[in-house]
Amino acid sequence: MEPRETMALLQGQAEIWQHLYRVVDSMALKCAVELRIADIIHSHGGPITLRQIASGIDSPSPHIPYLTRIMRLLVRKSIFTENHHPPDGGETLYGLTQTSRWLLHDAELSLVPMVLMRYHPWQLAPLHHLSHCVKEGGTAFKKAHGCEIWDFASKNPEYNNIFNDAMACTTKIVMAAIVAEYKDGFGCMGSLVDVGGGTGGMIVEIVNAYPHIKGINFDLPHVVAVAPEREGVSHVGGDMFDTIPNADAIFMKWVLHNWSDEHCMKILKNCRKAIPKKGGKVIIVDVVLEKDSNDLFGETPMALDLCMMAYTAGGKERTELEWKKLLEEAGFGGYKIFKIPTLTSIIEAYTE
């Protein structure tokens, strides 16, 4: 075998090893969130020693050697910093990075609920059934849990809360990007329905930023049943496949990617019925998949696409051509895509 071929083969082996153990990286990340390591460091106002981290963990006798090894990996992954030679010659100090700042529990913008949801055994179990789905079709979530995800959430309050908390945290992140980049998008409407709005986190952010808008949070009855009262927002329970409350515009964040094209067609046609024939629009916040993208978020959209395959019956991430075809077949006259500084984009669909 030629030396170049030997080296390429060795490189391939190394990459498979990296793929094999990325799950351990993920579990170490979950561990850091559960132990609140980022919060402990943040509470001290700067880098601290391992023993100071341990003293902040909710345990009478934290195991320091285990913590040392976990921190070593998380430093390697640039989630925390490590200073081996502090100026005073003392112990090694561990600090936050721009990555670990997203792991603060009480921060206004935080990915903690998403970490806890994504790595929960209920969420991981369906991913073990991807090969079964390829062989025989069906939904991985149903193979793992015996029912579809929405039925599981309606029957399992704990899962419902975990899921809602994860959606609420992403709502804040996406809304911050929308407010910064989509400033004129909400200016000319008097009312707005957030379809699949969960507990109302997104619509209240919009209403707070644009107080002239009458906000309607629309979701399944079991979801809005636990939604808190929010000023300027009314909660309406129902089924988007049957009817959607009337408004000047419709807003949907991470809704359509949960459904097949056929289901999306029903939702979008109901959206058209609910908005004015002239001047009405649907604001879709979802991923626009680019196969060869060098985007900051890298391969995350493709991984998210496989999650949609695992958790939903027909859900997927869509390319611009797929969005265009879907909107045209649903009867919309045109569309425009706005890129915003987060994982998703904004797709405006117009009635004329």
Side-chain angles (χ1 to χ4, degrees), residues 9 18 60 92 111 123 158 171 255 258 300 312 325 347:
L9 194 60
Q18 289 172 17
T92 298
L111 280 168
Q123 287 293 100
E158 184 181 353
T171 288
V255 172
N258 291 311
T300 303
T312 67
K325 182 173 184 290
I347 308 158

Side-chain angles (χ1 to χ4, degrees), residues 141 148-155 163 220 222 258-259 312:
F141 194 95
E148 300 291 355
I149 187 170
W150 311 119
D151 294 330
F152 189 78
S154 67
K155 297 170 185 175
F163 185 88
L220 294 169
H222 77 270
N258 291 311
W259 301 98
T312 67

Side-chain angles (χ1 to χ4, degrees), residues 182 248-250 252 256 268 271-272 275 279-284 323 326-328 330-338 346-352:
Y182 189 63
D248 295 330
I250 303 291
M252 289 187 287
L256 296 181
L268 287 167
C271 287
R272 282 187 60 236
I275 57 179
K281 68 177 177 179
V282 177
I283 304 163
I284 301 165
W323 281 115
L326 191 61
L327 293 170
E328 286 178 350
F332 287 90
Y335 74 94
K336 187 181 293 185
I337 293 176
F338 299 85
I346 295 173
I347 308 158
E348 275 190 349
Y350 312 110
T351 51
E352 55 183 20

Side-chain angles (χ1 to χ4, degrees), residues 109-157:
L109 298 179
S110 171
L111 280 168
V112 164
M114 181 57 79
V115 171
L116 295 176
M117 188 269 283
R118 180 60 56 209
Y119 300 139
H120 194 287
W122 285 327
Q123 287 293 100
L124 293 176
L127 297 176
H128 291 282
H129 293 271
L130 293 181
S131 60
H132 300 153
C133 290
V134 172
K135 290 179 179 178
E136 59 198 33
T139 307
F141 194 95
K142 188 173 183 179
K143 293 178 189 294
H145 298 298
C147 62
E148 300 291 355
I149 187 170
W150 311 119
D151 294 330
F152 189 78
S154 67
K155 297 170 185 175
N156 187 326

Side-chain angles (χ1 to χ4, degrees), residues 194-221:
D194 186 1
V195 173
T199 56
M202 178 64 87
I203 192 69
V204 76
E205 293 287 339
I206 295 172
V207 170
N208 286 343
Y210 303 90
H212 67 279
I213 294 177
K214 174 188 174 185
I216 302 168
N217 180 53
F218 181 69
D219 211 312
L220 294 169

Side-chain angles (χ1 to χ4, degrees), residues 243-288:
T243 186
I244 290 171
N246 293 332
D248 295 330
I250 303 291
F251 185 91
M252 289 187 287
K253 177 187 77 75
W254 272 353
V255 172
L256 296 181
H257 78 157
N258 291 311
W259 301 98
S260 67
D261 289 348
E262 293 74 19
H263 284 92
C264 286
M265 201 71 64
K266 292 180 182 178
I267 298 168
L268 287 167
K269 286 181 177 179
N270 283 339
C271 287
R272 282 187 60 236
K273 293 176 185 176
I275 57 179
K277 291 183 179 179
K278 285 191 175 183
K281 68 177 177 179
V282 177
I283 304 163
I284 301 165
V285 180
D286 236 315
V287 166
V288 178

